[in-house]
Amino acid sequence: MDHNHVLAALQHSPLPERMGSFERMRSPQEPLQVGDGEHLVVEYRHVNHDALFQVIVRSDEAQLITIVNGEVTPLQTVSVEEAGHLLRRDLLMMLEDLEDEL
């Protein structure tokens, strides 16, 4: 992963500390290596439930996933650039959809 590439693609994404019932735990400025060549670049955690929204980057792809009670559900895999567009446009909606599942 080229961290500068990820930062450039996600730098204008709205990543507030809190959105609804979710708190931001990770942002692109502080990636966490989670596997061989994989980095967790965005993570939101629900304040009352065991639920996470994550964006994991590997090479030029970003995978958006949710984890509810330990069950991983892939939402979509897109380019890093497209992930930036999705986060700018749909992050609140994705978090609201996840909360509706709880």
Side-chain angles (χ1 to χ4, degrees):
M1 172 185 87
D2 178 359
H3 184 63
N4 291 329
H5 175 73
V6 172
L7 279 177
L10 300 178
Q11 70 179 338
H12 299 296
S13 299
L15 297 176
E17 293 287 326
R18 189 170 177 121
M19 285 190 104
S21 298
F22 288 86
E23 291 180 333
R24 189 185 74 216
M25 306 304 292
R26 177 109 11 229
S27 70
Q29 290 76 20
E30 53 191 34
L32 174 68
Q33 186 167 353
V34 293
D36 188 29
E38 294 183 337
H39 291 79
L40 175 63
V41 296
V42 174
E43 180 176 59
Y44 278 88
R45 176 179 56 103
H46 196 280
V47 296
N48 297 319
H49 297 280
D50 182 14
L52 298 169
F53 169 83
Q54 297 181 331
V55 178
I56 297 175
V57 171
R58 176 199 260 173
S59 187
D60 289 337
E61 287 189 338
Q63 184 173 34
L64 286 68
I65 64 172
T66 60
I67 304 171
V68 178
N69 297 320
E71 183 177 327
V72 177
T73 304
L75 300 175
Q76 53 189 311
T77 301
V78 295
S79 70
V80 172
E81 290 82 8
E82 183 62 22
H85 295 302
L86 286 171
L87 292 174
R88 280 190 289 282
R89 188 181 66 221
D90 297 332
L91 178 59
L92 181 59
M93 184 177 67
M94 288 186 278
L95 294 176
E96 288 174 345
D97 288 347
L98 176 54
E99 187 160 33
D100 289 346
E101 292 176 24
L102 304 174

